[in-house]
Amino acid sequence: MKRIAALGLALAMAGLLAAPAYAVPAEVTAPSAILMEKTTGKVLCEQNADAQYEPASVTKVMTLLLVMEAIDSGNLGWDDMVTASPHAISMGGSQIWLKENEQMSVRDMVKAVTVVSANDCAVALAEHVAGSETAFVDRMNQRARELGMERTNFVNCTGLPAPGHLTCAYDIALMSRELILNHPAIREFTTIWMDTLRGGAFQLSNTNRLIFYYEGATGLKTGFTDTALYCLSATAERDGMELIAVVMHAPTSNDRFDSCKTLLNYGFANYAITPVYPDQAIPPVEVILGERDTVQPVTARECSILLEKSKAGNITTQLELSPQVEAPVEPGQKLGELKVLVDGEQVDAIDLVAAEEVPRLRIGGIFKRFLNTLFLRGE
């Protein structure tokens, strides 16, 4: 919650989050799929989203999450130099062919992992952050538990085939949401279509084709092995709403991209982030023994809700305010709630708080007010 507040985003959806998600559109051919809205975490539609599969390189969403957390906490710098170990260069699969003891900046390695799924850079980053890939994987599994990823077990930081290395579409959506919601700087890399490394000598082309042709695409990570088949966590944003579409075990590369495109199209066609405003002006609250007689309540945060577009006209609000409050009143002190209802059912509640401080009257002020009251009564 602290991370959400730090981004200035507050879209509580207690009521709607509890509602069951719809089945995915029939055009989705992947056996496991899910569509989630970023800010609320609401699942919009799903199909076998708890089924466990090998995630292949979609694993690297968690690798990137831990790297971004290390950067944002100050424990790792973008310009820090990372040295390629013999273990890192032995990975095989997708890579940028690091040489033993070759050094590359964190920024360039994150770019390589994000754009071309470089296994050698993923391991080099893991070793740099945690001391060894094994220690890093322990952190991956701990973070997964913290995020509620109950059907996930990581064995490595790359997604290369390994017994017991499993997750599910729902868990991938959870870690993808955590990455893009709380570490928006990753978008600098996930939206790259083509780039270079090593001073222009090494060409990069994004494995996620949606970045090239899907309107609003923002990422995120592809994956493929012979046993995992084709996987994808795809993100896109339109009109202030960002969606996460995950497919696993798709039979072909085209199937994974087409399935994610279908999911994203469904979400953007049927849902919107809708701002909510009070149906009436918020009245002031009486202050007892304050230097001012009233204090003005304001909403503690912006209020927007994720809503089916067909229900956009069915939003109402209810004010619940304390009739009076005793001084002193602190800025931000809760004075009531603004309840948000859709079709008469509550879906959110926003605290109404004091806009400013109201100090308590001192003895002299109380006496003066008493005399003024007597004088007014005498009239």
Side-chain angles (χ1 to χ4, degrees):
M1 292 301 293
K2 291 180 180 177
R3 292 190 180 97
I4 295 175
L7 288 170
L9 295 171
L11 302 175
M13 288 293 297
L16 293 183
L17 281 173
Y22 294 106
V24 303
E27 296 83 359
V28 174
T29 57
S32 178
I34 194 168
L35 180 67
M36 179 182 287
E37 195 277 325
K38 176 188 75 175
T39 308
T40 62
K42 176 177 169 59
V43 175
L44 306 184
C45 60
E46 61 180 307
Q47 172 176 285
N48 300 324
D50 290 331
Q52 284 184 307
Y53 292 100
E54 296 176 43
S57 283
V58 179
T59 297
K60 296 185 179 81
V61 172
M62 180 60 81
T63 303
L64 290 167
L65 173 60
L66 294 188
V67 170
M68 292 301 298
E69 287 179 342
I71 291 170
D72 289 348
S73 68
N75 293 323
L76 185 66
W78 286 111
D79 296 324
D80 290 355
M81 300 304 291
V82 179
T83 302
S85 70
H87 177 59
I89 69 171
S90 71
M91 286 299 105
S94 302
Q95 56 187 306
I96 63 166
W97 310 103
L98 289 171
K99 300 286 192 284
E100 186 175 346
N101 295 322
E102 180 179 356
Q103 290 192 317
M104 189 172 286
S105 69
V106 168
R107 179 178 298 278
D108 282 348
M109 285 204 171
V110 169
K111 182 191 296 186
V113 171
T114 307
V115 179
V116 295
S117 200
N119 294 320
D120 45 4
C121 289
V123 173
L125 283 166
E127 292 174 334
H128 189 80
V129 169
S132 70
E133 184 184 9
T134 300
F136 189 85
V137 171
D138 287 342
R139 294 189 189 184
M140 293 171 69
N141 284 311
Q142 178 182 347
R143 196 72 183 94
R145 290 191 293 271
E146 292 169 355
L147 293 173
M149 298 168 61
E150 297 178 354
R151 299 185 65 77
T152 295
N153 181 66
F154 296 116
V155 177
N156 57 53
C157 68
T158 59
L160 288 167
H165 190 92
L166 298 168
T167 186
C168 66
Y170 177 71
D171 286 1
I172 289 173
L174 288 179
M175 67 179 178
S176 299
R177 176 178 181 254
E178 182 71 13
L179 177 61
I180 64 174
L181 176 64
N182 295 316
H183 307 281
I186 196 65
R187 188 182 287 195
E188 174 188 343
F189 306 97
T190 59
T191 54
I192 291 172
W193 174 237
M194 300 189 75
D195 208 329
T196 62
L197 289 173
R198 299 185 176 111
F202 193 91
Q203 301 293 316
L204 303 176
S205 180
N206 203 319
T207 57
N208 181 7
R209 297 206 309 258
L210 294 182
I211 295 299
F212 178 70
Y213 72 80
Y214 190 80
E215 179 189 353
T218 57
L220 184 60
K221 193 71 200 70
T222 59
F224 168 77
T225 67
D226 290 340
T227 49
L229 299 184
Y230 293 89
C231 307
L232 176 61
S233 177
T235 57
E237 183 174 21
R238 294 180 187 173
D239 299 323
M241 180 175 72
E242 191 164 12
L243 301 178
I244 303 158
V246 178
V247 299
M248 300 191 74
H249 214 64
T252 70
S253 181
N254 284 339
D255 281 334
R256 68 175 167 184
F257 291 120
D258 289 345
S259 290
C260 277
K261 179 182 175 182
T262 297
L263 289 168
L264 293 169
N265 284 345
Y266 167 83
F268 289 126
N270 291 282
Y271 290 86
I273 297 293
T274 305
V276 176
Y277 305 99
D279 293 337
Q280 62 189 82
I282 302 175
V285 171
E286 180 185 356
V287 179
I288 301 172
L289 298 178
E291 291 186 1
R292 290 190 304 279
D293 294 331
T294 62
V295 62
Q296 180 60 48
V298 296
T299 53
R301 56 177 170 85
E302 291 184 8
C303 181
S304 298
I305 60 173
L306 175 66
L307 196 63
E308 290 181 64
K309 291 182 178 180
S310 62
K311 296 183 178 180
N314 301 344
I315 302 172
T316 57
T317 62
Q318 291 179 355
L319 285 176
E320 290 189 0
L321 279 174
S322 300
Q324 55 187 211
V325 61
E326 185 174 335
V329 178
E330 301 294 332
Q333 181 175 326
K334 184 174 178 179
L335 302 173
E337 286 186 339
L338 175 68
K339 294 185 176 181
V340 181
L341 302 91
V342 176
D343 289 333
E345 293 188 9
Q346 183 176 326
V347 298
D348 199 358
I350 305 98
D351 286 348
L352 297 173
V353 300
E356 55 190 347
E357 177 186 15
V358 180
R360 188 178 181 88
L361 281 172
R362 296 180 183 273
I363 296 298
I366 295 174
F367 184 66
K368 181 178 179 181
R369 180 170 292 185
F370 175 71
L371 291 179
N372 288 339
T373 302
L374 287 178
F375 178 77
L376 290 172
R377 284 179 179 173
E379 290 184 338

